[in-house]
Amino acid sequence: MHKEGNQEKTITFARSLHDQKKFSETIEICRDILSDDSSSVEALKLIGKSLFYVGKTEEALFYQNKALNSSPTDYELIKDVGNTYQAAGNINDAKESYERAININSEYAPALTNLGSLELRSGNTKEALLLLEKATEIDPNLAIGWLNLASCYLKEGRKGEGEKAIRKSIDLNPNLFNAHFMLSNYLIEKNKLEEAEIYLRKTIELKPKFLPAYFNL
């Protein structure tokens, strides 16, 4: 019991490090936990997410799928597996993971918006729109959901709705560099150059190596 209590405290500490984006430290702590208890689902999930964020997708999938063996109906974990597949360029498996998460919980907005984004990239605009609108209805505070919906509106030529959706995403999360960049492009198109400059400079502040923003500026 004492050992279990210590592990729970360690997991809580590792989770706080992950929330602070200290991914390397999180990975190190999770490895220590797993060396004592290789079946710790929470440690497996945390190390998988952290490895994903540092770009080690193959290793991330190893731990995520191991966690999934113990928690096959964990729709959040299944969505995370989808994100890792997507980062690795495996779009079919990513799509399958998002669909699986939605089959378990049809109201899970992150999986809905991620699947909608993939459908949009595949040219399935109508299907994407249904998924993305549903995601923002279920969770109006999901910034990435509004940003994906904005992309869909703009692709359909619904520019006013697209602008509103981008601004909504920025209000919810001012640190989404691609939202600022998308809005700057829209403003350039509308010849609102002074306002576009503001959003381009913010894009560069958030993502200093993002060359298209420098080019547009």
Side-chain angles (χ1 to χ4, degrees):
M1 183 68 71
H2 180 67
K3 186 176 180 180
E4 286 179 8
N6 284 340
Q7 186 183 107
E8 192 174 325
K9 286 180 183 178
T10 308
I11 288 285
T12 301
F13 178 56
R15 196 177 289 118
S16 73
L17 289 172
H18 180 274
D19 291 343
Q20 297 170 58
K21 302 187 188 305
K22 296 180 178 178
F23 302 122
S24 296
E25 292 173 53
T26 308
I27 291 165
E28 187 177 339
I29 290 171
C30 287
R31 289 197 197 282
D32 287 341
I33 295 168
L34 292 168
S35 67
D36 290 330
D37 179 9
S38 62
S39 63
S40 170
V41 173
E42 289 305 311
L44 289 167
K45 287 164 65 174
L46 264 179
I47 195 171
K49 286 183 84 166
S50 298
L51 287 162
F52 164 79
Y53 281 116
V54 298
K56 296 183 177 179
T57 53
E58 190 173 335
E59 195 176 358
L61 281 169
F62 170 79
Y63 288 108
Q64 288 173 329
N65 282 315
K66 194 171 180 183
L68 207 51
N69 287 335
S70 300
S71 299
T73 59
D74 186 335
Y75 52 85
E76 184 178 353
L77 173 58
I78 295 166
K79 180 266 297 177
D80 288 341
V81 170
N83 291 348
T84 308
Y85 276 130
Q86 187 173 350
N90 194 335
I91 302 304
N92 289 335
D93 282 341
K95 186 175 177 180
E96 187 178 308
S97 295
Y98 298 142
E99 288 171 343
R100 183 177 165 192
I102 293 163
N103 285 336
I104 295 167
N105 182 357
S106 62
E107 303 287 293
Y108 186 46
L112 287 163
T113 193
N114 289 359
L115 180 58
S117 178
L118 286 185
E119 294 289 5
L120 184 61
R121 282 170 54 185
S122 301
N124 303 323
T125 316
K126 288 183 180 178
E127 180 64 25
L129 188 60
L130 288 171
L131 290 161
L132 296 169
E133 286 185 333
K134 183 177 179 181
T136 52
E137 284 168 13
I138 291 167
D139 186 357
N141 295 316
L142 186 64
I144 192 65
W146 287 103
L147 185 58
N148 288 335
L149 181 57
S151 296
C152 197
Y153 281 147
L154 293 174
K155 193 164 185 177
E156 286 216 310
R158 297 163 63 175
K159 306 229 169 159
E161 290 169 284
E163 180 188 6
K164 286 179 186 175
I166 303 169
R167 291 187 185 276
K168 178 75 173 176
S169 73
I170 291 172
D171 287 343
L172 290 167
N173 185 354
N175 296 319
L176 289 174
F177 83 93
N178 43 349
H180 292 276
F181 186 65
M182 189 186 295
L183 184 54
S184 72
N185 284 336
Y186 173 82
L187 292 167
I188 290 169
E189 189 179 311
K190 300 290 286 184
N191 206 33
K192 296 181 178 179
L193 302 183
E194 290 183 5
E195 191 180 0
E197 181 184 346
I198 293 168
Y199 288 99
L200 282 168
R201 292 193 182 279
K202 185 63 178 178
T203 304
I204 291 167
E205 179 188 325
L206 293 169
K207 190 88 168 176
K209 294 183 180 180
F210 188 60
L211 297 180
Y214 290 95
F215 178 81
N216 286 3
L217 186 60

